[in-house]
Amino acid sequence: MITSLAIKNYALIEDIRVDFNEGLTIITGETGAGKSILLGALALVLGKRADIGSVKDASKKCVIEGCFSIKNYGLQNVFDENDLDYDPLTIIRREILPGGKSRAFVNDTPVALTQLQALAPHLVDVHSQHETLEVVSENFQMEVIDALAGNAELLKSYQAHFADFKTISEKLSAVKLQKENALKELDYNAFLYNELQQANLKKLDQQELEETFETLNNAEAIQEALSNANKLLDEDQIGSLQTAKEARLVLGRIKEFSKTFDDFWQRLNSAIIEIEDISTEMANSAEKIEADPERLFQVNEQLQTLYKLQQKHSVSTVLELIEIEAQLEEKVNTTLGLDEQIENLEKEKRRLRETTLKIASELHSKRTEAIPVLKKKLEDTLFPLGLPNAQFQFELSASEDFKTNGTDTLQLLFTANKGLAFGPLKKVASGGEMSRIMLAIKAVLAEYKKLPTIVFDEIDTGVSGEIANKMAAILHQMSKTMQLLSITHLPQIAAKGDHHIKVYKEDSNDLTSTHLKILGEEERIVEIAQMLGGKNVSEAAIANAKELLN
C-alpha cells in the first residue's frame, strides 16, 4: 500500500505531503482544484515519462516521492528480476531537473525508467472511466479467470516448461541454420582436408626433403667436388694431408725439448686425424652419391605438393599445415555430427511440447469450470449497479499454439439489454457500462487475489441515486481487504470512506496553488453537505450528510 506522497514544485503544487492509510480513502474537490495533478504526480512515481512543462518553477528541481509498504506483497522476486534493491518499506523518487532531465530512484538507487515501469503494476492500479483498455484486453480477462480458477501454480509450471520449449526451439533453429551454412562449405572443407591428409604431412621433413632434392639434382657436381677435395687433401706428394704428416714428423724430433713444441705437435696431430676423417667421409659420400632420376622425381613431386599447399593456405611450415589439417578435420566432423545433435534436440522439443500441452490442457479445464462462476458473480454485481439485464458470454477455445498463458483463445461477449445480440465488449459497452464492468471485475478479483492499491478516478461518473449507494457499498467492501483511493463527486461514495482528503486551490500574492487537507469528522460533514447542496450549506444538507456518514 502507498503510505505517503510528497510533491514539490509540480504543476500548481509548491510543496505538500499527504499520508495514506488502509481501507477506503476518499479524495474530493471542486473541478479544477487539482485532483488530476495529484494523479499526475503519482503517475510520475509509477514510471510515466516526465515533461518539463509540468514543473511549477522551471528554474528549480521538481521532486515527487512515494513511500510504499510492501511486506505482504511477496515482491522479492519482482525486485530481483528487475535488478532492484528490495526493502519492505520501498521509496520511489522522481526528479525533474531545471534542464528537463529526469531521474528515478528506488530505495535511493538510480534506476532506468523501464525498471520502474516493470515494478509499478505491482504497487498501484490507476483506473478512470476513460482508461478501459485493460478490461477489453484478452490477457487481462484470462488473468481474471485464472484468479477464480486458482491457476497460479499451474501457470508457473506452464510458463517454466514453455520457456524451456522456446529455448530448445531456438537452439534447434540455430543448429539447423548452422548445418545449412556448414553444408555449403562441407565439400570444400572436405576437399581441403583430404588434400592435406593425402600429403601425409606428419611423416614429412621439409628440410630433409629439400637437402635430398639438392643432392640428387646435383649428384655429378657433388661427386666431382668431393673427389677433387679429397685429392687436394690426400694425393701423394702434393696433398695437404701428406704435407701435414711431414710437418708432424719434423716436429716429432723437437717435441721433447719443451711443452710448447709438444703442444704444436699435439695440435697438428689432431688436425691430421680430423683431415683423415674428412677425407675418408668425403670418399665414402662420393661413393654413395649416385644419379637416381626416379628418386629425384619422387622427392621433387613431394616438395612441389608441399609448396603448393603452403601457398594455398598462406603458411610457410609443415607444422602450420598440420594445424590447418586438424582444424579442417574438426569442421568436417562437426558438420557430420550436426545430424545427431539435431535429432536429440528434436526429441527433447517433442517431449517438452507434449508436457507443455498437457499443462495447457489442465489450465483449459480449470478455466472452463471457473467461467460459469465468474459469469454469475459479474452479472450479480452489475445488477444493483443499474445493469439488471447485463449478460456475458465467455468463448474459450484451445489450440496447439503456445502463448504466455497457455494455448487458449478467449473472446468476451456482452449485452446490457434483453433481446439484443451479444457483441465484443469493446464494441457494445458504453463508457459508463465499461466503468461499472471494471468495478465489478475488480470487486470479484479482490475475493481471490491480493491486489495492489487501486485508485478509481471518477469511476462513478454518470451514476446517482440508489446505484451510487450500491457502488459505494462495493467500494467499501473491497477496501476491507485492500487499500482503495477514490476520487469522486458523489456524496454517497464520499460518505463510505474511512479517510477523506480534500483538494482545493488558494490564491496568494497573485499565484494560485493547490493544497490538500485531511478532513476531520465535522469537516467531512460540511464537505459532504456541500457536495449535496452547493456552497451555501442548508440545515437539510447537514442533516443529510450526517445521515450518509452514519
Side-chain angles (χ1 to χ4, degrees):
M1 59 173 278
I2 182 169
T3 59
S4 67
L5 184 65
I7 307 170
K8 186 174 182 179
N9 192 33
Y10 178 73
L12 296 178
I13 296 175
E14 181 68 34
D15 189 358
I16 62 172
R17 174 191 170 93
V18 59
D19 294 321
F20 297 98
N21 297 286
E22 295 179 351
L24 177 59
T25 296
I26 297 299
I27 301 173
T28 60
E30 294 180 0
T31 300
K35 299 186 294 298
S36 60
I37 295 174
L38 193 64
L39 284 182
L42 182 59
L44 281 174
V45 168
L46 299 175
K48 181 183 176 182
R49 293 199 172 276
D51 178 8
I52 187 66
S54 61
V55 177
K56 182 177 176 66
D57 184 346
S59 66
K60 297 179 182 178
K61 182 167 67 173
C62 166
V63 181
I64 302 170
E65 186 173 276
C67 187
F68 299 85
S69 176
I70 58 173
K71 61 183 178 180
N72 298 323
Y73 280 32
L75 297 182
Q76 180 71 59
N77 289 340
V78 176
F79 275 74
D80 292 342
E81 288 168 5
N82 291 283
D83 197 24
L84 298 170
D85 294 329
Y86 176 79
D87 193 308
L89 193 64
T90 283
I91 297 173
I92 299 176
R93 186 170 77 256
R94 288 295 299 279
E95 296 179 355
I96 305 174
L97 304 181
K101 185 178 179 181
S102 168
R103 300 187 299 186
F105 302 84
V106 174
N107 296 324
D108 283 331
T109 300
V111 298
L113 207 57
T114 51
Q115 292 172 284
L116 193 54
Q117 290 166 348
L119 176 62
H122 301 278
L123 302 178
V124 178
D125 176 9
V126 180
H127 180 74
S128 69
Q129 182 185 11
H130 306 291
E131 296 172 347
T132 55
L133 290 178
E134 186 181 36
V135 74
V136 299
S137 158
E138 181 181 345
N139 284 338
F140 176 73
Q141 295 164 4
M142 201 75 81
E143 183 183 332
V144 176
I145 295 172
D146 283 330
L148 267 74
N151 281 342
E153 292 303 316
L154 201 57
L155 264 175
K156 284 182 183 178
S157 176
Y158 168 83
Q159 288 163 353
H161 282 82
F162 179 38
D164 291 342
F165 175 79
K166 285 199 297 183
T167 300
I168 289 292
S169 299
E170 290 166 3
K171 189 173 182 180
L172 179 59
S173 297
V175 174
K176 284 183 174 179
L177 180 61
Q178 182 185 352
K179 179 187 174 183
E180 184 180 331
N181 293 330
L183 284 175
K184 295 175 184 177
E185 301 177 2
L186 176 61
D187 289 343
Y188 182 60
N189 286 337
F191 168 75
L192 292 178
Y193 170 67
N194 290 330
E195 190 178 44
L196 289 170
Q197 194 177 42
Q198 287 169 6
N200 207 5
L201 295 169
K202 291 180 181 178
K203 293 185 178 180
L204 290 184
D205 185 325
Q206 185 171 353
Q207 185 177 350
E208 183 182 337
L209 281 173
E210 289 172 341
E211 288 179 0
T212 301
F213 174 78
E214 292 299 330
T215 300
L216 292 171
N217 198 39
N218 299 281
E220 290 182 5
I222 292 170
Q223 281 180 327
E224 184 180 351
L226 289 175
S227 295
N228 290 337
N230 200 36
K231 284 178 182 180
L232 289 171
L233 288 176
D234 201 21
E235 190 170 352
D236 290 344
Q237 302 304 321
I238 64 169
S240 297
L241 185 57
Q242 187 63 34
T243 304
K245 286 180 178 179
E246 288 178 3
R248 182 179 63 182
L249 184 62
V250 172
L251 286 174
R253 297 174 189 148
I254 65 171
K255 70 173 184 174
E256 302 295 335
F257 296 159
S258 77
K259 187 177 182 306
T260 300
F261 303 148
D262 184 64
D263 186 46
F264 288 158
W265 187 91
Q266 294 292 343
R267 289 166 64 189
L268 183 57
N269 186 60
S270 296
I272 290 168
I273 295 170
E274 183 66 21
I275 292 171
E276 286 178 334
D277 280 348
I278 293 171
S279 179
T280 302
E281 287 184 15
M282 283 194 298
N284 292 336
S285 293
E287 289 178 6
K288 289 178 181 177
I289 293 173
E290 294 179 5
D292 188 346
E294 186 178 345
R295 174 63 178 150
L296 177 61
F297 177 79
Q298 291 174 349
V299 172
N300 185 50
E301 284 288 301
Q302 285 182 298
L303 280 174
Q304 292 309 312
T305 299
L306 192 57
Y307 293 151
K308 286 178 183 177
L309 290 173
Q310 288 173 340
Q311 185 178 16
K312 179 182 285 189
H313 295 283
S314 302
V315 296
S316 57
T317 66
V318 174
L319 184 60
E320 288 173 305
L321 285 176
I322 291 172
E323 289 176 358
I324 292 171
E325 181 184 359
Q327 292 168 5
L328 287 168
E329 182 181 20
E330 184 179 355
K331 285 183 180 179
V332 170
N333 290 338
T334 299
T335 303
L336 296 175
L338 287 176
D339 284 335
E340 182 180 353
Q341 192 176 351
I342 288 172
E343 184 181 347
N344 291 335
L345 286 171
E346 285 179 335
K347 188 184 297 182
E348 178 64 8
K349 181 181 177 180
R350 285 193 297 273
R351 186 191 68 79
L352 281 169
R353 180 176 179 80
E354 290 172 6
T355 305
T356 311
L357 278 174
K358 183 179 178 182
I359 299 172
S361 178
E362 292 180 51
L363 283 170
H364 177 80
S365 297
K366 295 187 72 174
R367 287 166 178 166
T368 302
E369 293 174 6
I371 283 174
V373 179
L374 175 60
K375 171 179 162 64
K376 186 174 188 311
K377 282 182 174 291
L378 289 178
E379 291 172 356
D380 287 350
T381 305
L382 289 171
F383 185 88
L385 293 179
L387 294 173
N389 298 313
Q391 294 182 69
F392 293 92
Q393 278 186 3
F394 292 84
E395 295 184 351
L396 187 72
S397 57
S399 69
E400 291 198 354
D401 295 325
F402 293 133
K403 296 188 285 187
T404 55
N405 57 4
T407 58
D408 289 333
T409 298
L410 176 67
Q411 185 175 28
L412 178 55
L413 303 177
F414 174 75
T415 181
N417 302 290
K418 288 182 176 180
L420 291 183
F422 284 89
L425 184 63
K426 62 182 176 182
K427 291 185 177 180
V428 301
S430 66
E433 289 168 346
M434 199 77 83
S435 293
R436 280 175 271 183
I437 290 169
M438 175 57 89
L439 176 60
I441 288 174
K442 296 289 186 183
V444 173
L445 265 180
E447 298 178 33
Y448 295 88
K449 184 179 179 182
K450 180 71 175 178
L451 296 176
T453 295
I454 295 181
V455 179
F456 286 117
D457 179 19
E458 299 185 5
I459 196 173
D460 48 32
T461 300
V463 172
S464 60
E466 185 57 28
I467 295 175
N469 286 326
K470 297 297 183 181
M471 187 173 284
I474 290 173
L475 291 172
H476 183 67
Q477 182 62 34
M478 289 175 65
S479 70
K480 291 180 179 179
T481 56
M482 61 185 300
Q483 185 187 44
L484 275 183
L485 276 65
S486 179
I487 297 173
T488 183
H489 288 290
L490 292 182
Q492 295 96 325
I493 290 178
K496 286 290 186 180
D498 301 302
H499 319 281
H500 195 143
I501 298 172
K502 181 176 181 178
V503 182
Y504 62 97
K505 287 194 298 190
E506 276 188 352
D507 294 331
S508 177
N509 299 324
D510 296 326
L511 290 175
T512 301
S513 57
T514 292
H515 300 271
L516 303 180
K517 184 178 183 181
I518 298 175
L519 302 181
E521 186 176 346
E522 292 301 319
E523 291 169 318
R524 285 190 73 187
I525 293 172
V526 173
E527 176 70 8
I528 292 173
Q530 288 178 340
M531 294 173 75
L532 286 164
K535 284 191 175 182
N536 297 320
V537 177
S538 65
E539 292 283 340
I542 291 291
N544 198 357
K546 288 180 179 179
E547 184 180 351
L548 283 174
L549 283 167
N550 291 328

